[in-house]
């Protein structure tokens, strides 16, 4: 599993939201979110930006370019 997938899944688990709720927030299909979760597909810059804004994380952290995070 890549750093991105580990961190992406960590944020999703901490959110306590259902996958369909997250997909709705990101304006994607639940099947697409599932592909991201399992590392079967990469996401667009637009979706990455929405995810970072919605869950208050930096793209640098998600991508493994920084270890600075606050998931509280």
């Amino acid at each position: 599993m890549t750093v991105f997938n580990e961190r992406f899944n960590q944020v999703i688990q901490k959110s306590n939201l259902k996958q369909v709720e997250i997909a709705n927030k990101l304006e994607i299909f639940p099947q697409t979110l599932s592909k991201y979760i399992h590392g079967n597909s990469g996401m667009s810059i637009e979706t990455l930006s929405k995810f970072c804004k919605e869950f208050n994380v930096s793209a640098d952290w998600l991508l493994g370019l920084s270890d600075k995070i606050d998931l509280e």
Side-chain angles (χ1 to χ4, degrees):
M1 187 175 275
T2 67
V3 170
F4 175 84
N5 289 104
E6 288 175 11
R7 292 179 176 187
F8 181 76
N9 288 326
Q10 181 182 353
V11 173
I12 288 174
Q13 289 173 357
K14 284 239 180 212
S15 76
N16 292 321
L17 296 173
K18 295 180 181 178
Q19 287 186 18
V20 69
E21 294 172 308
I22 294 169
N24 287 338
K25 288 180 179 289
L26 299 178
E27 299 176 347
I28 60 174
F29 293 109
Q31 297 88 339
T32 302
L33 178 63
S34 179
K35 289 179 183 179
Y36 298 158
I37 290 169
H38 293 92
N40 296 328
S41 180
M43 69 175 58
S44 70
I45 297 295
E46 293 81 12
T47 303
L48 176 63
S49 178
K50 285 179 189 177
F51 184 84
C52 290
K53 288 177 186 174
E54 186 66 41
F55 295 98
N56 197 32
V57 296
S58 76
D60 283 350
W61 178 79
L62 272 176
L63 297 170
L65 302 174
S66 170
D67 289 330
K68 200 175 191 179
I69 185 63
D70 181 16
L71 286 179
E72 313 252 347

